[in-house]
Amino acid sequence: MKMSEVMEARTALLEKEKKVYLTTVNQINSQMGGLLQKDLGSQFVSNCGRDLAGELVRTFFDTTDYHITADQLMRRMLEFSYQNEYDPLGNNEEIHKLIYNYNDGPTSSTLNNIMTDLEQSKTKLFEKEKVVLDNGKTKSSYKDRGIIQKGKKAYRDQKTADQSGVEDEFTGKAESKSQNSLGFDVSNLDVDHTQALSTAYVYNRYLKEGGEERIREFYNSSENFTMMNKTANQSKGDVKVFDKTGNDITHRATPDQLADAVVQRWENIKGEEARGKLVEGGYLNEDGKVPKSVKAKLTSELKKSQNGESRTILKETDYKAVSKDAGKHAAKSLGKIVGGQVIYYTMPPLLYEMKGIMKDKHITLDNALTKLEQAGKRICKYVVSKLKNIFQGIAQNGLKTFIKSFFDILINMVKATVKKMIRLAKNLVLAVVDAVKIIGDKSASAAQKADSVFTLFSVTLTTFTVEILFEYIEKQFAIPEPLLLPLQIISTIICTNFSLLILQKADLFNVKHGLLIANIEEVFAKENQRYMDEVRSLSDSYSHDVERKLLEIQEETTEIARNLMDINLYQDSVQSDLESISEIFSMGIDFEKEWLDFLEVAN
């Protein structure tokens, strides 16, 4: 054993440490590049693609009540590990997916059950009966004709008292009168019900006692009356609105749908005399079309009447009955809510374990059973550790389903602007529920909570705005219904992710910068630890080798010293021992040559 070998080992160690250092620096640079050069465009496209996949499944396959989208679940299963699990329900990175879930699609069983309950409790507000006239003939007339006539007279009297002369509220033309065959003055204007009595319905299931009577009074109040041309009123009749499958939806038609139906009736009026009176009255122009101003006034009056009716309905609603049915619908969806939590917390670790077992090339039947048993224990341990999360998820999602059902009942009872306002209120209340969960997250900083809550409400308003915009698009453009819903889903996803992109770039609460710094610090800490571990491993290996080599040198030098002490200088040679010392310490002394040179000098 030579001392030079120890020095060579030290040199090799330094070279290895240098390689480890360079590898660590390159690794840090690579990770820093990923952090500092985030491709927001690719992130935007990726998020839109994932959201679209999740929303199409949720909307068309009625998975709303699971409260987890298909793309989130798939990613969780593919990326799961016990040490580093992708957990969208446990963080606030994908808040916008919660907001998508605030409103159910047409395939939602919960929403369809709500509509079924409403339709089954629908009651006609004004019934007709046969009335015998003085001449012995019969005609159909409303049972509440007394209230109806009283309301019309009060409205006409009010108009007469409020202005110098009664005028047509749609065209502004003054009232004119003529005598009939009996010598009575007859006006060319009628007091008309803005919303027809023949299509008035109430949902008695959710009305307080006496509520139906108050709604009936509304229909015969000034809020549902307009003064209009007699011929226009008669030709309008009791218009009906049908959906594309032929169902009568007049009782829940929008002001625009009703206005379109009335306009179509006026423009297709039969008889030259009646058409001439409509032209004279200003309801048709020379081309036989209804002027835009008349249609706009008609839509406005319908909207005002529907809003007035909706306010009356909300005032007369039995909210205990609404809450009871909302609870019933939430209870029906409880199975899916529990199923969603169970799938979310059991399937990822199960697939993770199965994948690990299948990768083992040396697996046999005996050790497979052992591995399965061990895997089962790990899965059970993991699920037990998540029981608190599971019960919290069931409780929170049950509450959100109850709130959704409660508001959906109200939304489908009312009309016009009031319907939009309740829909907005529903979204905001659900956002508050999610905000409470965010604020209660002990693992997040104050800035992170503020950023998440601000994002939550911003995206909530964005999705609501897109929904209102599509109501306008549906009204203005004849887009086929099968295309309308997918277009709305795509537009909502794009607008939502664009809003998220803007908020991310703005970083109002300095969260993204803070997270970036934290990630950079984490990278340095992790790589430094890895470097230190490798260097320590190299040093340990070097120390072990050097210690062994030094021990061998020590043993050899001890043996030489012992030989030198025992030597007889007159009889024994020390050349071999000296040569060993020279070799150990790399002295390079040739003792044979040195002895000959010494003898020559001596001679």
Side-chain angles (χ1 to χ4, degrees), residues 116-132:
T116 299
D117 286 348
L118 286 168
E119 288 299 310
Q120 287 177 349
S121 69
K122 185 178 70 174
T123 305
K124 202 170 181 61
L125 196 57
F126 295 94
E127 295 288 351
K128 287 188 175 183
E129 62 181 0
K130 297 291 184 181
V131 178
V132 180

Side-chain angles (χ1 to χ4, degrees), residues 131-182:
V131 178
V132 180
L133 302 177
D134 294 338
N135 57 11
K137 294 182 179 180
T138 60
K139 74 169 186 177
S140 181
S141 179
Y142 286 108
K143 293 179 181 180
D144 298 293
R145 53 188 173 278
I147 299 174
I148 296 169
Q149 293 306 318
K150 181 181 177 181
K152 286 186 174 182
K153 183 179 183 305
Y155 187 74
R156 182 180 286 275
D157 291 343
Q158 175 194 329
K159 288 295 180 182
T160 303
D162 288 347
Q163 53 197 49
S164 56
V166 179
E167 64 179 24
D168 190 317
E169 295 182 43
F170 294 92
T171 64
K173 293 193 175 186
E175 178 185 36
S176 63
K177 294 183 178 180
S178 59
Q179 286 190 338
N180 62 11
S181 58
L182 298 176

